[in-house]
Amino acid sequence: ENTVEIENLHVEVEDEKILNGVDLEISRGEIVALMGPNGSGKSTLAKVLMGHPAYEVTEGEAYYNGENVFELEPDERAELGFFLAFQYPKEITGVTVSNFLRTAINAGLDEDDEIDPVEFQEVLEEKMELLDIEADFANRYVNEGFSGGEKKRMEVLQMAVLQPEIALIDEVDSGLDIDALKVVARGINELTDDDMGTLLITHYQRILDYVEPDRVVVMLDGEIAEKGGPELAERLEDEGYDWVREEAAA
Ligand code: ADP
Ligand code: MG
Ligand code: MG
């Protein structure tokens, strides 16, 4: 219950083996940082969990709340509470942040359960307060003239409103300025405290200056090669990934 359990996961892309027996758990309420050199298979793990059609599971399984994740369609995984964060449209002319988010939330609900604008306004205000986003922001047009930081506010707010149980966040920190990075970090910290589980995928340690992970795991050549606490991320920052490779070879 409330834990994604990934066991002995093997994944191929175009007949090439990418993941070679990954074991990993992600629970609601915790932040797991998934680190590793480029090409080690981190994004593949996120994509296969979301049901990306290019990635074939050849062995192993993943369970969440009694469901066999790999037997579910991508939309069923979203209903189960899985969410690939920060994957949202560039610009939507004439649609306000508020209307966009209400449509997004209602898209995942049965018609009878849809949230009306008044009810939604309350939810939105609560989330904006939690994330320290000014009220005017709800009336802006989606991404129109947004700064880097405002785009991240939009995406964090979307995550807050949709309330995923398990958020997969892949390399969100690459290229972000400090303002945007802090917006993202605040979102992850606040929403994870609200019982979301977060898999924070990052090659670099930088975002971990603002988000303290509960656990750090290192992927190497499609396997989990190291596990530890925040100190493991610091060691990687200081020493790089070579020592992980040497220990794995030994
Ligand atoms: P990471 O996110 O750790 O950098 P990826 O999961 O993106 O690693 O990639 C792992 C390996 O799988 C790489 O060698 C990459 O080239 C390969 N790969 C990933 N996705 C595809 C794809 N859609 N088609 C072909 N090769 C892929
Ligand atoms: Mg990647
Ligand atoms: Mg926290």
Side-chain angles (χ1 to χ4, degrees):
E1 287 285 295
N2 288 330
T3 300
V4 185
E5 295 176 30
I6 301 164
E7 283 168 29
N8 190 33
L9 178 60
H10 292 250
V11 171
E12 290 183 9
V13 183
E14 292 168 0
D15 296 328
E16 199 185 325
K17 287 183 145 199
I18 309 294
L19 299 186
N20 303 301
V22 170
D23 295 297
L24 184 65
E25 293 189 351
I26 310 151
S27 295
R28 290 180 74 183
E30 72 168 349
I31 298 169
V32 180
L34 175 61
M35 302 185 74
N38 282 327
S40 56
K42 306 182 297 298
S43 295
T44 296
L45 179 63
K47 286 176 184 162
V48 80
L49 286 173
M50 294 310 297
H52 191 298
Y55 298 81
E56 189 196 350
V57 175
T58 55
E59 206 182 324
E61 41 215 13
Y63 282 92
Y64 184 63
N65 287 347
E67 299 278 353
N68 184 339
V69 175
F70 297 132
E71 285 181 355
L72 302 176
E73 297 298 326
D75 62 322
E76 295 173 313
R77 299 182 198 196
E79 266 171 51
L80 191 62
F82 283 41
F83 182 78
L84 188 60
F86 305 108
Q87 300 287 311
Y88 291 93
K90 297 274 176 277
E91 190 173 301
I92 311 175
T93 312
V95 177
T96 62
V97 166
S98 173
N99 280 331
F100 176 80
L101 294 177
R102 187 162 54 87
T103 304
I105 210 174
N106 283 334
L109 298 173
D110 293 332
E111 214 166 315
D112 295 342
D113 300 328
E114 284 188 6
I115 298 188
D116 65 55
V118 176
E119 212 181 328
F120 179 71
Q121 196 56 34
E122 277 174 32
V123 173
L124 188 61
E125 280 171 15
E126 180 201 320
K127 299 299 181 188
M128 289 176 75
E129 210 166 297
L130 178 73
L131 299 170
D132 198 23
I133 298 174
E134 354 43 278
D136 288 355
F137 189 72
N139 304 319
R140 297 277 303 272
Y141 293 125
V142 174
N143 286 352
E144 226 179 272
F146 278 12
S147 67
E150 286 167 341
K151 282 185 183 153
K152 293 302 144 192
R153 279 183 182 79
M154 173 70 210
E155 291 166 340
V156 161
L157 193 55
Q158 174 156 25
M159 187 159 78
V161 163
L162 292 178
Q163 292 188 294
E165 295 186 15
I166 301 293
L168 309 174
I169 301 177
D170 191 3
E171 302 287 359
V172 72
D173 49 335
S174 50
L176 293 188
D177 62 27
I178 289 292
D179 173 46
L181 192 63
K182 284 182 176 166
V183 169
V184 168
R186 183 180 176 119
I188 294 170
N189 288 329
E190 293 292 347
L191 298 176
T192 305
D193 281 347
D194 256 7
D195 253 6
M196 182 176 82
T198 298
L199 183 67
L200 180 60
I201 299 175
T202 181
H203 175 86
Y204 297 105
Q205 188 271 351
R206 187 167 84 117
I207 195 168
L208 303 179
D209 287 337
Y210 304 93
V211 175
E212 171 142 89
D214 296 285
R215 296 189 290 124
V216 175
V217 299
V218 182
M219 189 177 279
L220 189 70
D221 300 334
E223 290 178 69
I224 303 299
E226 283 288 336
K227 293 183 188 189
E231 76 289 343
L232 178 53
E234 278 161 31
R235 182 167 179 199
L236 293 168
E237 171 75 355
D238 292 341
E239 301 179 32
Y241 287 104
D242 285 351
W243 65 273
V244 180
R245 215 179 279 286
E246 281 158 24
E247 280 186 15

